[in-house]
Amino acid sequence: MEGNPNSVFHPSKWLPKVKGRTFGTELVKVTPEFIAFMQEDGIRIHKKYRAKDDEENEEEQDEEEPAIELVGMDDALDAALEKLNRCCFVKLDGVAPKDAVGWLPGLKASRVEDVLLVLKASDIVGEYFSVADAATQQSMTVVLRKWYQLIELREFRCFVIGGVLAAITQRHAWAVFPEPKATFEEFRSDIKKFYDTIVKGAIDASEYCFDVYVEKREAPYKIWLIDFGPLDFKQEIVTREETDAAIAAGKAPLLKIIEEIGQIRKDRVSTLQVPWEIDGDEDGDVIRTIGELMKNGTAENRELFQ
């Protein structure tokens, strides 16, 4: 959720305080060779990191200038991948290469080549890296997190204002919440307890967001911390006015989910590349169909964290 390596939201700042309640994570500091790799044009992966059956292995023999080798850092990356069972989600600091999914299915990295490929192929990561000054680039960290097939409608965003857990919302606003609202309300005490015992005090900020994942389908629920980020309501289904009102009325945390088809966020659905024929859909049939397909798809997920 947050990139700057000097930010209080950077993983290196809060990971030591929440061990055992977040996903396995390894941090690898960048080296001058990695910086040079990110700065050069194109995507050239050294043959050392490629799969043995990669046909391009032979092509590099004739290159006038060999691709950059990340001496030292490559061993650190490989060791981190091994610790996480070679199934990782990659970030540069807190910036995720979400736009590079076409280069690596599921963004599931198992080799050093995968890590380098998604970071270099991502425009999001590239922009973050390119606008940073030299000192910031040198202090960056490659973050490897254990990859899990999460059920997206079990992810929730929590809003903290003035040290108070002000609101808990459905993280992904592209579908109607698939369970009774009463089930969501049952999460309140468990997430509130998780905030009070694990999250509160983990970062040096009085206003921020944090994302959690609810693992079990019956109480008591197992809560996992996903990430931290700055407080921002621009893309959320709750407003600052609503959270402030909840605090003032002593009703925090406010709970908010997508309960009806009409509440689905158009921009969230379009990011999934789902055809959006809204103009002739006055009765909501198209949206209802999309919502049901998404909802039914999430109901078939398997047990996690075994």
Side-chain angles (χ1 to χ4, degrees):
M1 292 170 68
E2 178 68 12
N4 188 339
N6 300 311
S7 166
V8 296
F9 304 110
H10 191 273
S12 63
K13 301 294 194 300
W14 53 265
L15 275 170
K17 302 176 183 179
V18 297
K19 282 188 175 180
R21 300 310 300 268
T22 189
F23 309 137
T25 306
E26 295 292 326
L27 307 178
V28 178
K29 296 294 295 182
V30 305
T31 60
E33 292 80 9
F34 177 84
I35 293 174
F37 166 75
M38 292 295 293
Q39 289 175 335
E40 72 172 356
D41 294 333
I43 303 176
R44 297 193 309 136
I45 307 294
H46 193 281
K47 64 180 181 180
K48 177 180 179 181
Y49 312 126
R50 295 176 182 170
K52 291 183 179 179
D53 59 351
D54 190 337
E55 295 179 358
E56 292 182 1
N57 277 344
E58 298 299 327
E59 296 178 7
E60 191 176 45
Q61 302 287 338
D62 301 326
E63 291 183 6
E64 292 183 5
E65 184 178 347
I68 296 172
E69 181 178 359
L70 277 61
V71 180
M73 185 179 173
D74 52 6
D75 290 336
L77 286 171
D78 194 64
L81 287 163
E82 184 65 26
K83 285 183 180 180
L84 299 173
N85 299 320
R86 297 195 174 275
C87 187
C88 302
F89 182 74
V90 184
K91 294 183 179 182
L92 183 61
D93 291 329
V95 179
K98 295 180 290 185
D99 57 332
V101 68
W103 293 82
L104 184 66
L107 295 175
K108 187 190 301 185
S110 62
R111 299 179 292 124
V112 173
E113 177 186 13
D114 298 335
V115 175
L116 300 179
L117 180 62
V118 295
L119 292 180
K120 191 60 187 292
S122 170
D123 290 336
I124 297 173
V125 172
E127 181 178 1
Y128 166 68
F129 179 86
S130 63
V131 299
D133 58 30
T136 300
Q137 289 178 351
Q138 292 167 14
S139 64
M140 289 180 178
T141 303
V142 174
V143 180
L144 302 177
R145 308 207 71 187
K146 186 72 173 73
W147 193 97
Y148 290 103
Q149 180 67 57
L150 300 181
I151 304 171
E152 289 193 334
L153 291 179
R154 282 297 209 168
E155 294 179 44
F156 300 95
R157 173 152 291 182
C158 306
F159 300 79
V160 176
I161 299 175
V164 177
L165 181 58
I168 302 169
T169 70
Q170 181 176 325
R171 174 69 182 86
H172 300 282
W174 46 256
V176 173
F177 190 67
E179 300 178 64
K181 187 176 181 181
T183 301
F184 180 43
E185 292 173 344
E186 289 178 7
F187 298 161
R188 179 201 295 261
S189 61
D190 291 307
I191 295 178
K192 178 67 165 59
K193 182 178 179 180
F194 184 79
Y195 167 72
D196 289 335
T197 60
I198 303 297
V199 174
K200 196 172 185 178
I203 62 172
D204 185 19
S206 61
E207 294 193 351
Y208 55 90
C209 295
F210 66 95
D211 293 341
V212 297
Y213 183 76
V214 179
E215 179 182 355
K216 298 293 185 180
R217 288 191 173 275
E218 64 280 340
Y221 298 97
K222 179 74 171 181
I223 312 295
W224 295 87
L225 176 66
I226 299 177
D227 208 350
F228 283 100
L231 195 67
D232 187 353
F233 293 91
K234 291 180 181 178
Q235 302 295 324
E236 307 301 337
I237 62 173
V238 69
T239 66
R240 179 62 186 255
E241 291 73 22
E242 289 175 314
T243 55
D244 287 346
I247 293 174
K251 296 181 179 180
L254 172 70
L255 305 179
K256 195 162 186 180
I257 58 175
I258 301 297
E259 299 181 72
E260 300 177 355
I261 295 294
Q263 296 175 321
I264 293 178
R265 290 278 299 274
K266 289 176 61 175
D267 56 326
R268 293 301 177 98
V269 176
S270 63
T271 61
L272 297 175
Q273 299 181 339
V274 177
W276 193 265
E277 303 295 341
I278 188 66
D279 292 338
D281 187 36
E282 296 180 359
D283 296 328
D285 292 336
V286 173
I287 304 177
R288 186 172 297 104
T289 300
I290 293 172
E292 286 300 315
L293 286 172
M294 292 177 173
K295 175 175 149 183
N296 293 337
T298 61
E300 300 172 357
N301 285 271
R302 38 262 162 233
E303 280 293 318
L304 307 175
F305 312 109
Q306 295 181 352

